[in-house]
Amino acid sequence: MLQHHLRLALATATAAALTGGLLGLTATTAGAADSTHVPFADFNGDGIGDVVASAHGAYVSGLKGAGQIVVLYGTATGVGSAKRTTISQNTSGVPGTAEAGDAFGGDTAYADFNHDGYDDLAVSSPGEKVGSDTDGGAVAILWGSKSGLTGKGVDLADPAPTSHDFWGTALAAGDFDGDGRADLAVGSSASTIYVYKGGFSTAGTPGGRYTVKPPIRTGSSGHPYGPLNLTAGDVNGDGRTDLVVDGFETKTSYGWNTNYYLPGGTGGLKATSAKALKPGIITAIGDVNGDGYGDIVTGADWDNRTSDGTTVPDAAKGGKVSVTYGTASGPGSTTGITQDTGNVPGASETGDGFGWELDLGDINGDGCQDLVVSAPNEDLNGVTNTGMVTVLYGSAHGIDTTSGMQAFAQSTPGVPGDDEKYDLFGADVKLDDFNGDGRADLLVGSYENSGDGQLTYLPSNGTRITTTGGRWIAPGDVGVSTSGTPQLGAVFAD
């Protein structure tokens, strides 16, 4: 298993299992949610949001699991298959060569790394063989341009390849030192995180490099822990990006999942100031109450008891989302949300996976970020693990759980497709402005057709997410082979 981004247990996947107190890595979550360092990805500089969907399990030139990414460019009518670029390691200009098991697209992060006005993309191949190291991992930066991402890029060398595996399994971009340049944080199987300072040259040389080491477990043979996710955003409103590290704590024999807040500062991130947060694997940072501080929203999609009856800390039946409100001094008070909270659609049922994925974006333009949460293991109308996503709206009082909520499944009128077993609708979710109207639209990934994957686009009508103008995008529409399990849409760039 490469890491939590790569959900390789497909049709039989249930919510993240807890085994012996440790989160089982055989059914863990997809890519991290959006952060607030940039409003949206814009690789071609046209002012409309673009999105990258990974197909890290895709066959390339007959090679199983070599992996691809699909760049969908925003247009006045949203994203679709017509305006897109499909890239693998066999694409001209991309560092490396497609090989079986590379998982190109295992994680991605965007920012304008070379400060030329176009967003660039950091993309990892955590299964890349490096010398004799089977899962050494690799990271490349692909440069944006007027034509978008064309494949032109550079390799970001691993500074300590013998110290870890799965290089690049977690990525996050932000201005951690406040110098106006985008930095890149890179994780691996080790607890040490490498931060590449902004000011990248077109040859890939950064403005500097340093390391931070939060109090999380490092990996061992067969257990690629390290940081499970890295999420960037300004929590304390000081103009410097902070980092939330999702990992396993080191204080108990169980090693329960624990998240840590690392504040940014003049010298960059400071692990010595790390503050423990509520558990969860998927995190987003955004201002849900409009007070100018980034709020930390984290999903813990597991149940509150293990199969042997062990009580799981800070968990809930069917999954839970925690909202920790930002303040001038960093993380403040926390509120928990489940499907039994207020009028949240659905009900908390064992194994639903509520909080498996989530993202933030302003759907109605009121200045408060709204929240989408997925429960891909939701059973509907007797259909097992078909999946559902829930939209909750931000307000001056935070996330509103009393009114205005929306729920979408493939059985919702106007949503393309049908409820089918193990579709896992909500494998990943994304809220961004894909049609240039200043409102966030919704993109939902699923494991349609036994792991082929699919994207479902649902636009904002200015006040709410609507099915009018909705569409789906299948692997064949964007040049991704359906051999094996490509998992298109299981990871979106953040």
Side-chain angles (χ1 to χ4, degrees):
M1 185 69 186
L2 294 180
Q3 193 46 286
H4 81 291
H5 304 291
L6 313 185
R7 267 196 205 265
L8 302 182
L10 295 171
T12 58
T14 57
L18 286 156
T19 306
L22 288 174
L23 276 170
L25 293 177
T26 56
T28 44
T29 11
D34 198 18
S35 56
T36 58
H37 54 280
V38 288
F40 49 71
D42 187 4
F43 302 114
N44 57 6
D46 65 356
I48 304 176
D50 308 321
V51 66
V52 174
S54 292
H56 54 263
Y59 275 68
V60 176
S61 300
L63 299 167
K64 180 180 180 180
Q68 292 174 297
I69 59 170
V70 178
V71 189
L72 303 176
Y73 299 100
T75 71
T77 57
V79 291
S81 60
K83 192 174 181 180
R84 50 89 179 171
T85 306
T86 301
I87 298 172
S88 74
Q89 286 182 294
N90 281 354
T91 301
S92 178
V94 175
T97 303
E99 299 166 313
D102 279 353
F104 179 73
D107 201 15
T108 49
Y110 59 81
D112 185 1
F113 295 117
N114 59 2
H115 211 60
D116 67 351
Y118 300 100
D119 281 328
D120 312 304
L121 184 73
V123 54
S124 71
S125 307
E128 183 86 28
K129 185 175 182 179
V130 180
S132 60
D133 189 352
T134 301
D135 293 312
V139 175
I141 295 179
L142 307 182
W143 304 118
S145 69
K146 187 176 181 179
S147 301
L149 296 179
T150 62
K152 182 179 180 181
V154 294
D155 180 63
L156 192 65
D158 183 346
T162 61
S163 300
H164 49 241
D165 283 330
F166 308 111
W167 173 245
T169 193
L171 303 171
D175 185 5
F176 304 119
D177 55 11
D179 67 354
R181 299 175 178 179
D183 311 315
L184 178 66
V186 181
S188 65
S189 63
S191 57
T192 299
I193 297 168
Y194 289 83
V195 182
Y196 290 79
K197 292 173 62 67
F200 286 83
S201 71
T202 53
T205 303
R209 190 184 68 223
Y210 62 95
T211 62
V212 290
K213 192 172 183 179
I216 61 172
R217 293 197 172 200
T218 195
S220 59
S221 179
H223 296 283
Y225 297 146
L228 304 178
N229 252 325
L230 300 173
T231 306
D234 187 1
V235 176
N236 58 13
D238 67 353
R240 301 178 179 92
T241 308
D242 310 311
L243 187 71
V244 172
V245 180
D246 303 331
F248 295 113
E249 53 88 10
T250 59
K251 298 176 182 178
T252 68
S253 58
Y254 282 110
W256 298 111
N257 172 260
T258 303
N259 296 336
Y260 292 92
Y261 162 79
L262 276 59
T266 303
L269 296 169
K270 295 176 174 60
T272 54
S273 301
K275 180 177 180 178
L277 302 167
K278 293 294 185 181
I281 288 184
I282 293 301
T283 299
I285 301 174
D287 187 2
V288 302
N289 58 4
D291 66 355
Y293 299 104
D295 307 307
I296 303 168
V297 186
T298 303
D301 68 321
W302 47 89
D303 294 305
N304 56 348
R305 291 187 181 276
T306 65
S307 57
D308 64 2
T310 302
T311 299
V312 182
D314 286 312
K317 180 181 179 181
K320 178 182 180 180
V321 169
S322 294
V323 182
T324 300
Y325 292 96
T327 71
S329 57
S333 62
T334 299
T335 299
I337 302 173
T338 72
Q339 286 182 293
D340 285 342
T341 300
N343 294 317
V344 174
S348 296
E349 301 164 314
T350 300
D352 276 351
F354 183 76
W356 171 305
E357 269 296 345
L358 51 83
D359 198 19
L360 295 169
D362 191 354
I363 295 168
N364 53 17
D366 66 352
C368 298
Q369 296 276 293
D370 307 309
L371 171 66
V372 59
V373 182
S374 76
N377 290 330
E378 185 83 36
D379 298 346
L380 297 173
N381 303 314
V383 182
T384 304
N385 291 4
T386 186
M388 181 177 80
V389 300
T390 301
V391 178
L392 306 169
Y393 288 83
S395 72
H397 304 290
I399 297 297
D400 187 352
T401 57
T402 61
S403 63
M405 293 80 70
Q406 296 178 276
F408 296 96
Q410 287 185 294
S411 55
T412 302
V415 174
D418 299 290
D419 290 341
E420 297 171 315
K421 286 185 178 181
Y422 308 119
D423 270 356
L424 279 71
F425 187 74
D428 202 356
V429 289
K430 187 74 171 168
L431 280 174
D432 267 334
D433 179 12
F434 299 123
N435 59 12
D437 67 354
R439 304 291 191 268
D441 310 305
L442 176 61
L443 194 64
V444 181
S446 69
Y447 282 98
E448 191 80 19
N449 296 328
S450 301
D452 284 354
Q454 182 174 279
L455 309 177
T456 300
Y457 169 72
L458 302 174
S460 167
N461 64 5
T463 57
R464 295 167 65 77
I465 296 297
T466 178
T467 59
T468 303
R471 64 184 70 99
W472 69 13
I473 303 165
D477 299 329
V478 292
V480 173
S481 170
T482 54
S483 297
T485 51
Q487 302 174 60
L488 176 67
V491 179
F492 294 137
D494 56 86

